[in-house]
Amino acid sequence: MKASIVTKSVLALLIAAGVSACNQNKPDTKPAAATTTSTTVGTPEIVYINQDSLVSKYDYIKDMDKRLGDKGKAAQADVASRQQAIQREIAEYQKAAPTMAADQRAATEQRLQRKGQEFQQYQQNAGAQVQNDQVSEQTKLYDKLVDFTKAYAKEKGYKMILTYQKGNATVLYGDPSLDVTADVVKRLNEAYAKDKK
């Protein structure tokens, strides 16, 4: 399933929030020369999540994309239906116009013009509502992922959790032993399944 650009943007913001949240626990007394990649033997300080896998396997994102897709299709269908109704009225007017009185023709044209303007406003409002729904859903996703990442980092003793995405030049390589994606997706899906009940 292909993720929307908005979903990818939120996940990119998650990187920044996760890094920031994880860095809040960083002690100031640690000497710069003593930086290591492990807090204890076998526990890395920095791990990563494969963003592509998270987007494709996290059930919440799948459901969110479906909800947003359904709302978008419903809005498009409604707008198209209203547009067809106006087009039918215009076609009927064009057929009847030659036999109409001038004042009746002028009144009908004004009414159709007003309907056209109302339709344009409705179309704009429908588009804005779809965008607002997307922003709202993305905000919920972002908050959910940030909260999870903070708790996960604290539980595991990680100082930083990065995201990796194919084609993203920020992380060119990550040792597979630092990839916590499977565990993160499993836990997120378990938590989401409990929330859905």
Side-chain angles (χ1 to χ4, degrees):
M1 174 183 261
K2 219 172 194 180
S4 68
I5 294 172
V6 180
T7 301
K8 289 183 180 180
S9 299
V10 167
L11 290 173
L13 291 173
L14 171 64
I15 297 169
V19 168
S20 174
C22 292
N23 282 338
Q24 289 175 357
N25 298 329
K26 195 173 191 178
D28 293 332
T29 59
K30 188 175 184 182
T35 57
T36 63
T37 58
S38 297
T39 54
T40 61
V41 176
T43 304
E45 285 186 345
I46 301 171
V47 295
Y48 67 92
I49 299 168
N50 184 312
Q51 182 174 323
D52 298 321
S53 294
L54 180 64
V55 168
S56 68
K57 294 179 182 176
Y58 184 21
D59 293 336
Y60 181 86
I61 293 175
K62 292 176 188 179
D63 291 348
M64 181 188 74
D65 284 344
K66 184 178 180 338
R67 279 192 305 273
L68 290 173
D70 291 347
K71 285 182 181 181
K73 287 176 187 174
Q76 284 178 340
D78 184 43
V79 167
S81 173
R82 289 172 184 257
Q83 184 177 24
Q84 289 172 355
I86 290 173
Q87 288 172 340
R88 277 193 302 271
E89 282 190 57
I90 291 171
E92 289 171 9
Y93 163 71
Q94 289 172 340
K95 286 180 186 176
T99 61
M100 295 174 107
D103 59 337
Q104 187 183 11
R105 195 168 44 241
T108 303
E109 288 172 358
Q110 286 179 348
R111 182 178 57 81
L112 289 173
Q113 184 177 11
R114 194 171 45 250
K115 277 192 164 189
Q117 291 169 345
E118 289 169 359
F119 169 75
Q120 287 178 345
Q121 184 63 46
Y122 180 82
Q123 186 178 26
Q124 290 173 354
N125 290 343
Q129 183 59 50
V130 168
Q131 288 179 341
N132 288 341
D133 289 345
Q134 287 177 340
V135 169
S136 175
E137 289 279 356
Q138 295 297 334
T139 300
K140 288 178 196 174
L141 172 63
Y142 175 79
D143 291 342
K144 185 179 283 290
L145 291 174
V146 167
D147 290 345
F148 176 84
T149 304
K150 285 179 186 177
Y152 187 76
K154 185 176 181 179
E155 174 192 334
K156 298 289 189 174
Y158 301 141
K159 298 293 182 192
M160 188 179 296
I161 299 178
L162 304 172
T163 61
Y164 166 80
Q165 181 181 18
K166 188 174 181 177
N168 182 349
T170 305
V171 178
L172 294 177
Y173 172 75
D175 187 303
S177 67
L178 301 176
D179 185 352
V180 295
T181 308
D183 189 38
V184 168
V185 170
K186 177 180 175 256
R187 288 175 175 225
L188 282 168
N189 283 333
E190 287 170 355
Y192 180 56
K194 288 178 186 174
D195 291 346
K196 282 174 70 171
K197 290 181 180 179

